[in-house]
Amino acid sequence: MQEFDIIIIGAGPAGLRAAKVLAEGKANVLCIDKKQEIGVPKRCGEGLGLSWMNRLGLKPDPKWCLQEINGAALYAPSMKSVKLNFKKVSGYIIERRVFEKELAKEAASKGAMIRTKCHASNFERKNGKVIVSCVERGEDVQYAAPLIIAADGTESLTARKLGFDTKIGLNDIESGYQYEMANISFENPHLINLFFGKEIAPRGYCWIFPKSDTCANVGIGIAGSEPKTAKEYLDKFIKAHLGLRNGSIIEVNAGTIPVGGFLEELAADNLIVVGDAAHQVNPIHGGGIGIAMEAATIASKVALKALGKKDFGSKFLNQYTAEWYKTRGNKLKRILKQRHMLEELNDDNFETLANAIDGDDVMLIAEGDLKSSAKMVLKKLVRHPKLAKVMLKYLK
Ligand SMILES: Cc1cc2nc3c(=O)[nH]c(=O)nc-3n(C[C@H](O)[C@H](O)[C@H](O)COP(=O)(O)OP(=O)(O)OC[C@H]3O[C@@H](n4cnc5c(N)ncnc54)[C@H](O)[C@@H]3O)c2cc1C
């Protein structure tokens, strides 16, 4: 049985970032993924903010940065919109298949061992190590390490099989469904377009993320508890849009997105959980690439210290929990409050907001700035006291 210092389950953005940071720290690391090709299928709108890229030290690379994005247009059900146009590049629609392969090549070049079509199916703690049983390209194999990083996405079994509860309520899960579409038209190919309304996407939104002037990811995220499927809502949305209804569908993606249910602890004995597996996603817009990679960086630094001290106990590893909440988790908890606020709004409220607020106000809400959001609500909604009251309840 081959032994490693650390085994990472899942070669998505979280797992591949961890593989790179750990290999740079001279750890002997294995990163496995059950898929036969890294990054495929994508299960993602492929939006990535420039601020995230800067924070993560990722230079925009034309190989995977497909479309420059300057801001967003948010549409109320009547199609009245609020626009945030920064008039400069604020992010990209990326080609995730290429992006993740580049992350994998980089991690491998630092010394990480990456294996695809390797499905981890069982985990057993034995003599201070975890034995991981896998089916690798049709063969049963076992690997062992004193530390496992669960970066296996929303369907994560790793943590649960190691006795760590990552269950999430239906209300904190969104169902996502998406078509990559060609030969379509939309207002501005450098803005992401988000469409709100209970009939359009209950407790969520539809999106058009342009990949070129005529091609885009057209998708939807709705509450996991909805009786109708995300696909039904998306098909209805596409039919209602002249620029979309005659487009070609060149890829279909579906997946779930954790939009809450943050874990109190992110580590247990011999185990660290990162990315979607740890529900580390922005609760309002469901973006998780940057958050997953940031968490993986924090977790990997703690893992390297654990290796140095040979301490793989829960207490030591939970330094990562404290560090992550300080860096990101507490802010995401505030954003979760804003999501709960948005959930209470009906279509008339969205229309009122579209008429009363502007792009900067939307940013306050999206950034989880409760105090400034409350001030903004008091100022901009003086003529709509009922709506202001509903919103202020959550902005404490
Ligand atoms: C429809 C949709 C649209 C989205 N749009 C955006 C967006 O535009 N921007 C954004 O930032 N985020 C978006 N997200 C969220 C984003 O995709 C995730 O937050 C991100 O992929 C999390 O990365 P991760 O590495 O934690 O998990 P994942 O990317 O899910 O990677 C987990 C990996 O683990 C592997 N795995 C699972 N189980 C095993 C096992 N037993 N053995 C081996 N391998 C295993 C899987 O094959 C997978 O490759 C979207 C999500 C969905 C569903």
Side-chain angles (χ1 to χ4, degrees):
M1 177 177 8
Q2 217 176 331
E3 296 203 6
F4 292 85
D5 290 334
I6 298 171
I7 299 176
I8 302 164
I9 314 297
L16 292 169
R17 177 68 163 201
K20 178 194 162 216
V21 177
L22 292 167
E24 277 174 338
K26 305 283 173 253
N28 179 20
V29 56
L30 171 70
C31 177
I32 64 168
D33 203 292
K34 63 185 180 185
K35 290 179 186 166
Q36 65 183 34
E37 183 176 353
I38 288 199
V40 180
K42 66 186 180 217
R43 284 192 189 163
C44 187
E46 300 178 301
L48 184 57
L50 189 60
S51 56
W52 273 113
M53 291 169 67
N54 292 337
R55 224 170 272 144
L56 295 162
L58 296 170
K59 290 207 181 75
D61 181 338
K63 264 193 266 177
W64 48 267
C65 284
L66 283 196
Q67 184 78 345
E68 289 181 347
I69 295 298
N70 301 332
L74 282 71
Y75 293 87
S78 68
M79 295 305 283
K80 162 96 192 157
S81 66
V82 177
K83 297 214 168 77
L84 283 113
N85 195 335
F86 301 109
K87 304 223 160 57
K88 58 176 189 187
V89 179
S90 62
Y92 292 88
I93 303 304
I94 63 173
E95 186 67 46
R96 205 165 139 164
R97 174 176 51 85
V98 182
F99 173 65
E100 285 189 36
K101 285 230 178 79
E102 289 300 312
L103 294 181
K105 284 184 212 162
E106 199 187 356
S109 75
K110 306 281 176 197
M113 171 62 72
I114 297 170
R115 298 272 171 84
T116 49
K117 212 163 166 50
C118 181
H119 190 153
S121 51
N122 204 25
F123 301 83
E124 189 194 348
R125 284 189 182 86
K126 206 169 180 183
N127 304 327
K129 300 220 160 118
V130 177
I131 297 168
V132 185
S133 302
C134 308
V135 180
E136 187 169 350
R137 294 188 298 284
E139 274 178 39
D140 291 333
V141 290
Q142 288 191 321
Y143 296 111
L147 179 58
I148 301 297
I149 296 189
D152 47 348
T154 33
E155 73 261 49
S156 175
L157 280 182
T158 304
R160 263 180 274 165
K161 289 219 167 169
L162 282 165
F164 189 77
D165 188 6
T166 57
K167 267 203 263 8
I168 185 164
L170 259 190
N171 199 39
D172 283 321
I173 276 277
E174 286 214 343
S175 309
Y177 203 83
Q178 178 179 271
Y179 301 127
E180 186 170 331
M181 297 188 75
N183 193 28
I184 53 174
S185 62
F186 31 84
E187 208 180 306
N188 182 337
H190 294 287
L191 294 184
I192 58 170
N193 299 279
L194 310 176
F195 301 83
F196 294 89
K198 294 264 184 252
E199 296 299 317
I200 293 171
R203 212 215 59 196
Y205 59 89
C206 283
W207 63 79
I208 301 177
F209 283 11
K211 293 186 85 169
S212 72
D213 289 2
T214 56
C215 189
N217 289 322
V218 181
I220 187 171
I222 59 165
S225 49
E226 274 301 310
K228 271 209 277 183
T229 65
K231 179 185 174 297
E232 283 172 78
Y233 281 102
L234 181 62
D235 288 341
K236 191 170 152 203
F237 171 78
I238 288 171
K239 266 196 203 129
H241 283 77
L242 203 59
L244 302 178
R245 70 171 75 116
N246 293 318
S248 291
I249 294 170
I250 59 173
E251 188 173 328
V252 181
N253 312 113
T256 52
I257 314 165
V259 285
F262 297 116
L263 303 176
E264 267 176 43
E265 294 199 331
L266 300 164
D269 290 346
N270 314 96
L271 174 73
I272 278 179
V273 192
V274 288
D276 275 16
H279 317 156
Q280 291 165 322
V281 172
N282 183 307
I284 284 194
H285 56 62
I289 302 171
I291 297 174
M293 291 179 72
E294 177 185 61
T297 310
I298 299 169
S300 302
K301 288 183 182 161
V302 172
L304 286 171
K305 279 198 225 156
L307 261 184
K309 294 219 177 291
K310 297 201 178 345
D311 184 349
F312 303 102
S314 137
K315 190 161 172 234
F316 190 94
L317 297 177
N318 267 306
Q319 288 177 42
Y320 151 54
T321 303
E323 195 54 40
W324 183 73
Y325 271 101
K326 205 163 77 190
T327 312
R328 189 64 45 200
N330 290 332
K331 184 172 173 182
L332 294 185
K333 276 188 168 176
R334 289 195 297 275
I335 295 178
L336 180 60
K337 278 194 177 185
Q338 312 267 48
R339 191 199 98 199
H340 290 144
M341 173 188 83
L342 292 173
E343 274 169 33
E344 277 219 26
L345 307 187
N346 59 34
D347 285 6
D348 289 342
N349 297 150
F350 281 121
E351 298 299 343
T352 305
L353 282 177
N355 283 306
I357 68 173
D358 57 29
D360 291 340
D361 303 328
V362 171
M363 280 306 284
L364 292 180
I365 295 176
E367 287 288 310
D369 186 341
L370 300 184
K371 210 165 147 195
S372 307
S373 299
K375 262 195 201 161
M376 177 274 287
V377 165
L378 282 168
K379 192 172 147 203
K380 301 263 173 109
L381 297 178
V382 256
R383 288 211 222 118
H384 306 280
K386 263 197 198 155
L387 175 56
K389 198 174 162 200
V390 171
M391 293 179 76
L392 288 169
K393 216 169 53 183
Y394 293 91
L395 301 175
K396 292 190 185 115

